Amino acid sequence: MAASDVALGIIFLSQTAVGALGNSSLLLHYLVLYFTGYRVRHTDLILQHLIVANLLALLCRGVPQTVAAFGVKDFLSDFGCKLLFYLHRVGRGVSIGSTSLLSVFQAIKISPENSSCSEFKVKAPKYIGFSIYLSWILYLLINIIIILSMTGKNSNNNSTNLRDLGYCFSVDSEIILQSLYATLVTVPDFLCVGLMLWASSFMVLILHMHQQRMQHVHKCSSLRSSPESRATKTILLLVSTFVFFYTLSCLFQICVTVIYNPHWLLVKVGAMVAVCFPALCPFLLIRRDSSASSHNIYWIRNRKNLDVRRNM
C-alpha cells in the first residue's frame, strides 16, 4: 500500500468520524429537547432534516472511500454501489434544499414590517414541513437515474464505456440520458443556490440597515446582539460555506465527467471536497444551539418546578 493511499485513508477517516460525531451529537440534542417537552423553533425542523441529510451524504461517501483508500478491493456488490451512490446523491440534494429553505425562512423572519416579505411571516411556518418532505420526494425520484449508471467492480457488466471511481464503475450512457439527468439534477440545485444567494443578500442588507440605525441609539437590547441576529449570522456563515464547497465540488465533478479516464487523485480529491460541508456543518450550528441551550435548560427546569408545585 502506497503512502499516499494511507494519507488519503486517514483524511477520509478523520472527515467521516468527526463529521458523523458532530452531526450525531446535534441530532441527539434535538431529540433530548423533543422528549423533554421543549417547544422547538420552526427552524429546528429544517435543521433536523439537514443533519439527517448530511449524515446520509457523509457516510455513503466517506465510509467506502476510507475502506478503498486502505487497500480493500471489490468490497461492494453491484447493488451496494448503486445504493450508496443513490443515497449519497439524495442526501446531498436534501442538504441543498434544506440549506436553501433555512436561509429563505430566516430572511422572511427578520424582514421589516413594511417590506414585501412581511406578509409571509405568518404563512411561512405552515409550509416548512411540506417544503422539506417535498424536497425528499423530489430528490428520491430524480436520482433514480443514477442507479442505471453505476455498477460494481465485480459485476458482470461487459460495457466498454466504464469510468473507474475507485470502488465502483460509472457506465457512460447515451448522450440523451446524460443530458436528461444533468438537467434534472442541475435545475433544482441552481434554483436552490439562487434562492440562497438572494436570501443571504437580503439578510446582509437588513443587518446593515439596522446597524446604521442603531449607531445613534445606545440600547443594550439591539438586534445586533439579539438571538435573531446571531442566528442570522450563523445562517449566513452556513450558506457561504455551502456555496464555496458546492462550487468547488461541481468543478471537480465536471472534470471527472469530461475526462474519460480521470486520474485517481482527481477522483479522490473530488470525493474529499464533496464531504467537507456535511462534516463542517454541525460545528457551524453548534454555537447557535449552544447559545439557546441555556435558555432551553432554564425553561425545562422552570416547567418541572411548576409541575412539582402543582402536585403539592
Side-chain angles (χ1 to χ4, degrees), residues 8-32:
L8 286 172
I10 293 173
I11 293 174
F12 278 119
L13 180 61
S14 302
Q15 271 187 316
T16 306
V18 172
L21 180 62
N23 282 287
S24 300
S25 301
L26 205 53
L27 186 60
L28 180 62
H29 166 72
Y30 287 118
L31 290 176
V32 169

Side-chain angles (χ1 to χ4, degrees), residues 82 86 89-90 137-149 181:
K82 295 178 185 295
Y86 174 71
R89 295 295 303 186
V90 171
I137 294 171
L138 177 66
Y139 284 102
L140 281 169
L141 293 176
I142 287 176
N143 289 287
I144 289 177
I145 302 178
I146 202 171
I147 296 176
L148 303 175
S149 61
Y181 177 70

Side-chain angles (χ1 to χ4, degrees), residues 249-285:
S249 178
C250 285
L251 293 175
F252 278 101
Q253 186 64 36
I254 292 172
C255 292
V256 171
T257 304
V258 172
I259 302 173
Y260 178 67
N261 276 319
H263 193 271
W264 65 271
L265 186 59
L266 181 66
V267 176
K268 296 293 184 182
V269 174
M272 197 181 302
V273 172
V275 297
C276 278
F277 177 76
L280 290 175
C281 178
F283 301 100
L284 300 177
L285 297 172

Side-chain angles (χ1 to χ4, degrees), residues 145-203:
I145 302 178
I146 202 171
I147 296 176
L148 303 175
S149 61
M150 299 306 303
T151 184
K153 288 198 167 184
N154 55 358
S155 67
N156 296 323
N157 195 317
N158 296 323
S159 175
T160 57
N161 298 323
L162 297 176
R163 296 174 184 267
D164 190 357
L165 300 180
Y167 52 91
C168 290
F169 282 126
S170 173
V171 182
D172 285 342
S173 55
E174 296 180 0
I175 189 65
I176 298 177
L177 289 177
Q178 290 182 0
S179 302
L180 176 62
Y181 177 70
T183 303
L184 289 174
V185 170
T186 56
V187 169
D189 285 3
F190 286 162
L191 178 62
C192 290
V193 172
L195 287 173
M196 282 185 221
L197 295 176
W198 169 82
S200 300
S201 303
F202 185 69
M203 286 188 284

Side-chain angles (χ1 to χ4, degrees), residues 19-77:
L21 180 62
N23 282 287
S24 300
S25 301
L26 205 53
L27 186 60
L28 180 62
H29 166 72
Y30 287 118
L31 290 176
V32 169
L33 293 182
Y34 175 78
F35 286 112
T36 51
Y38 177 73
R39 187 177 180 181
V40 296
R41 298 160 293 186
H42 294 297
T43 53
D44 289 344
L45 179 62
I46 306 174
L47 292 175
Q48 290 168 24
H49 285 266
L50 175 60
I51 293 167
V52 173
N54 283 340
L55 277 171
L56 202 61
L58 180 67
L59 295 177
C60 290
R61 179 59 68 89
V63 171
Q65 287 287 353
T66 303
V67 174
F70 282 115
V72 182
K73 298 181 179 180
D74 303 336
F75 58 93
L76 283 176
S77 64

Side-chain angles (χ1 to χ4, degrees), residues 42 105 108 117-127:
H42 294 297
F105 179 79
I108 294 174
C117 295
S118 60
E119 60 183 283
F120 297 106
K121 283 188 176 183
V122 179
K123 299 179 181 179
K126 301 178 182 178
Y127 297 100

